[in-house]
Amino acid sequence: MSRRSRAREVVLQVLFEIDLNPDCHTVQADNFMRSRLTQDAEVLEFARGLLAGVRKNRSELDELLKKTADNWSLERMAVVDRNILRIGAYEMLHSDTPERVAINEAVELAKRYGAKQSSHFVNGILDRFVKERRVANKPGKPAE
């Protein structure tokens, strides 16, 4: 597992905890990440940035994912899948991670932590997310 993949895994665990326990404090989350990523300050900073970004942009990410996931409300999605989608969407929108890398990393997290069909679900949603973004950003498209 790559260093950044490990950071994403730890961030997923923190987001899962926050989803189930909204009163989880930032200090607790940071302590957890530091305990899991003790050997690499650079990876810890990547994880901190990823967590902060997902949390800060959560309502934007959720709105975009709702639009992309036909017939699926975020509340109906498994907690793991929902947070994997948030991480993937955040990386595609707000980081320098290439879209294909963000999708592949999300699919790997889904294989490891999700249900049997989670990887297919995550791949389908994020792939559609990318296609819809490309259409929306296509030159010559009328402004909304």
Side-chain angles (χ1 to χ4, degrees), residues 26-36:
T26 306
V27 173
Q28 291 169 309
D30 195 65
N31 287 340
F32 178 80
M33 289 191 303
R34 277 186 308 149
S35 72
R36 298 297 188 270

Side-chain angles (χ1 to χ4, degrees), residues 19-79:
D19 233 8
L20 296 179
N21 180 13
D23 295 331
C24 180
H25 295 289
T26 306
V27 173
Q28 291 169 309
D30 195 65
N31 287 340
F32 178 80
M33 289 191 303
R34 277 186 308 149
S35 72
R36 298 297 188 270
L37 302 170
T38 59
Q39 303 301 316
D40 196 332
E42 184 181 326
V43 173
L44 178 59
E45 285 309 307
F46 173 76
R48 284 176 173 155
L50 187 57
L51 177 62
V54 171
R55 291 183 81 179
K56 176 182 175 191
N57 295 286
R58 182 174 162 171
S59 52
E60 172 202 12
L61 298 171
D62 286 356
E63 191 58 38
L64 291 169
L65 290 169
K66 282 181 201 176
K67 289 177 184 175
T68 305
D70 283 344
N71 303 316
W72 281 93
S73 67
L74 287 176
E75 297 77 25
R76 201 171 138 223
M77 291 179 193
V79 176

Side-chain angles (χ1 to χ4, degrees), residues 5-139:
S5 295
R6 176 71 179 131
R8 289 180 186 94
E9 179 182 72
V10 171
V11 169
L12 174 62
Q13 293 167 352
V14 171
L15 290 171
F16 182 90
E17 170 68 24
I18 291 168
D19 233 8
L20 296 179
N21 180 13
D23 295 331
C24 180
H25 295 289
T26 306
V27 173
Q28 291 169 309
D30 195 65
N31 287 340
F32 178 80
M33 289 191 303
R34 277 186 308 149
S35 72
R36 298 297 188 270
L37 302 170
T38 59
Q39 303 301 316
D40 196 332
E42 184 181 326
V43 173
L44 178 59
E45 285 309 307
F46 173 76
R48 284 176 173 155
L50 187 57
L51 177 62
V54 171
R55 291 183 81 179
K56 176 182 175 191
N57 295 286
R58 182 174 162 171
S59 52
E60 172 202 12
L61 298 171
D62 286 356
E63 191 58 38
L64 291 169
L65 290 169
K66 282 181 201 176
K67 289 177 184 175
T68 305
D70 283 344
N71 303 316
W72 281 93
S73 67
L74 287 176
E75 297 77 25
R76 201 171 138 223
M77 291 179 193
V79 176
V80 170
D81 295 351
R82 179 172 54 232
N83 284 299
I84 291 170
L85 289 169
R86 286 172 178 155
I87 292 169
Y90 173 78
E91 285 199 87
M92 286 189 270
L93 290 172
H94 299 286
S95 79
D96 59 355
T97 303
E99 292 169 341
R100 282 284 124 211
V101 172
I103 292 173
N104 289 339
E105 290 288 331
V107 167
E108 289 304 313
L109 283 172
K111 286 178 182 176
R112 185 162 184 178
Y113 289 99
K116 185 177 181 181
Q117 295 298 317
S118 290
S119 61
H120 300 291
F121 178 72
V122 166
N123 186 58
I125 298 291
L126 291 179
D127 189 54
R128 184 168 179 206
F129 181 77
V130 167
K131 288 176 183 169
E132 288 179 2
R133 277 188 58 220
R134 286 183 184 151
V135 168
N137 294 330
K138 197 174 204 174

